[in-house]
């Protein structure tokens, strides 16, 4: 029996990453920047199909620089999804702009086009400047850009895509990272591919990419001495971390495949459990399946997300609620927005389950055995073994 915990999404690294890091170390390029960074940027740009990629210290840094490159600053409003990690909203605040939250669709947790339309109508009719709109690709499922892009374009507002969780995903045959004036990826340790910590800005806008590179290296001017005409940031990715990223990128399709297999097992399992659905399961062939979350209706299922999470935790299995909406966070309680209540409902009913590509078959067995034991404890029978209610 395995004794170590089973986490939501542990890094999936091995011999390929080790070999690439050793190559970087032996090259002498240990400090930030270097040939691994250049190669990583080129390979990711080619994978996504954009002209420019800028490797940075985090996805948050990428969002910050994307907004600065678009001229977002004090007095501006930036519209984003309320169902997201704090980094999205924080990057807006870093610029001095005001975050304005819009609610999400119940089927996906992604930005609601109708809520966005209402938000832009309110803001533009009052004469406020909207510096950007930032949809968030929730848990690896890309937002409905087919609906969102025309809304944003009709108002002449830049679109910045928070694709932090969506590396390798598609929407309408368009890869994550290729949409909007800029898109951003995160390579944090729990993401589908990792550089330990890191991120990337992707764009077809050369001026924006050059501005990001300049600001990311402390805005140092190209003269022999240290000269600075603007406030810069220490945001560039190191050569060693880029080496990890290159190896991860070469294995990305394999890692996505592993996550998809686990997602399929969850879908099959919960299809036979009343009151439980997999978030975004409909039309998820183009998702990278970064994390799998279920939605639980206690009145139908007979158990709550907290009860299931506690049972999994007792078995050494991590489970976590969905993101707490930004408009409910203490720091943003005064923020404005168009709120329908969907994000709050998803937060209350949602539970995220282990989804990592590093999980082995034994991990899968433990997870599903533990889920089955929980159902039996609730007076239900395991899916596929007969009727749901015990006699």
């Amino acid at each position: 029996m395995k004794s170590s915990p089973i986490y939501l999404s542990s890094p999936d690294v091995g011999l390929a990453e080790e070999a690439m890091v050793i190559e970087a170390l032996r090259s002498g390029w240990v400090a930030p920047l270097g040939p691994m960074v250049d190669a990583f940027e080129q390979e990711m740009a080619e994978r996504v199909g954009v002209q420019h990629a800028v490797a940075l210290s985090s996805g948050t840094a990428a969002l910050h620089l994307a907004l600065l490159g678009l001229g977002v600053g004090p007095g501006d409003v930036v519209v984003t999804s309320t169902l997201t990690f704090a980094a999205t909203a924080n990057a807006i605040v870093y610029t001095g702009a005001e975050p304005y939250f819009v609610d999400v669709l119940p089927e996906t947790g992604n930005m609601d086009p109708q809520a966005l339309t209402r938000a832009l109508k309110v803001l533009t009719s009052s004469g406020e400047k909207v510096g950007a709109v930032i949809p968030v690709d929730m848990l690896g499922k890309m937002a409905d850009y087919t609906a969102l892009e025309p809304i944003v374009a009709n108002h002449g507002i830049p679109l910045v895509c928070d694709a932090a969780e969506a590396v390798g995903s598609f929407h309408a045959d368009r890869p994550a990272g290729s949409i909007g004036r800029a898109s951003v990826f995160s390579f944090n340790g729990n993401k589908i591919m990792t550089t330990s910590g890191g991120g990337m800005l992707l764009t077809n806008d050369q001026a924006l990419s050059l501005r990001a590179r300049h600001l990311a290296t402390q805005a140092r001017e190209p003269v022999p001495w240290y000269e600075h005409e603007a406030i810069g940031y220490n945001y560039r990715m190191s050569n060693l971390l880029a080496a990890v990223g290159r190896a991860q990128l070469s294995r990305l399709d394999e890692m996505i495949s592993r996550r998809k297999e686990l997602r399929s097992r969850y879908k099959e399992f919960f299809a036979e459990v009343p009151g439980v659905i997999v978030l975004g399961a409909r039309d998820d062939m183009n998702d990278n399946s970064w994390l799998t979350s279920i939605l639980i209706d206690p009145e139908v299922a007979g158990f709550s997300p907290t009860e299931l999470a506690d049972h999994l935790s007792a078995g050494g299995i991590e489970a976590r609620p969905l993101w707490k909406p930004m408009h409910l966070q203490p720091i943003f309680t005064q923020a404005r927005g168009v709120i329908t209540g969907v994000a709050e409902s998803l937060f209350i009913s949602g539970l995220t389950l282990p989804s990592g590509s590093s999980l082995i078959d034994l991990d899968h067995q433990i997870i599903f055995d533990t889920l089955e034991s929980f159902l039996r404890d609730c007076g239900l029978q395991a899916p596929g073994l007969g009727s749901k209610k015990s006699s």
Side-chain angles (χ1 to χ4, degrees), residues 171-246:
H171 170 75
D173 296 326
R174 301 166 70 188
S178 68
I179 299 175
R181 286 284 297 278
S183 292
V184 306
F185 288 154
S186 170
F187 306 129
N188 192 28
N190 67 347
K191 294 299 188 293
I192 196 153
M193 60 171 283
T194 184
T195 57
S196 177
M200 191 167 283
L201 186 155
L202 302 109
T203 183
N204 287 314
D205 186 329
Q206 183 179 29
L208 194 154
S209 71
L210 291 174
R211 179 68 172 165
R213 291 180 186 279
H214 179 61
L215 293 177
T217 50
Q218 299 287 18
R220 181 183 175 185
E221 296 298 322
V223 295
W225 54 89
Y226 291 111
E227 181 97 10
H228 307 273
E229 298 177 4
I231 296 296
Y233 308 90
N234 185 19
Y235 275 174
R236 283 298 252 149
M237 180 179 287
S238 82
N239 201 58
L240 295 183
L241 297 191
V244 177
R246 291 187 67 197

Side-chain angles (χ1 to χ4, degrees), residues 246-301:
R246 291 187 67 197
Q248 288 271 283
L249 184 57
S250 73
R251 298 179 51 236
L252 178 59
D253 292 330
E254 163 204 333
M255 294 189 291
I256 290 175
S257 178
R258 286 281 293 170
R259 289 177 188 258
K260 283 180 174 288
E261 290 174 5
L262 184 52
R263 166 75 63 83
S264 294
R265 288 195 64 183
Y266 280 131
K267 287 166 63 175
E268 182 179 2
F269 183 90
F270 288 110
E272 301 186 51
V273 180
V276 181
I277 63 172
V278 174
L279 177 63
R282 188 175 65 186
D283 189 31
D284 66 353
M285 293 298 295
N286 290 319
D287 303 355
N288 65 12
S289 299
W290 172 53
L291 291 179
T292 294
S293 292
I294 56 174
L295 304 178
I296 301 171
D297 182 345
E299 293 187 3
V300 178

Side-chain angles (χ1 to χ4, degrees), residues 305-320:
T306 300
E307 289 170 332
L308 176 54
D310 288 345
H311 184 87
L312 291 169
S313 178
I317 300 169
E318 183 183 18
R320 186 182 300 170

Side-chain angles (χ1 to χ4, degrees), residues 108-120:
T108 63
N110 284 329
M111 183 178 283
D112 182 342
Q114 291 187 3
L116 175 63
T117 298
R118 288 167 54 193
L120 295 182

Side-chain angles (χ1 to χ4, degrees), residues 81-85 102 104 109 136 138 322-326 343 346:
S81 170
T82 189
L83 193 64
T84 185
F85 180 57
V102 298
V104 298
V136 179
M138 184 70 174
L322 283 171
W323 305 125
K324 183 177 182 179
M326 288 298 102
L346 294 177

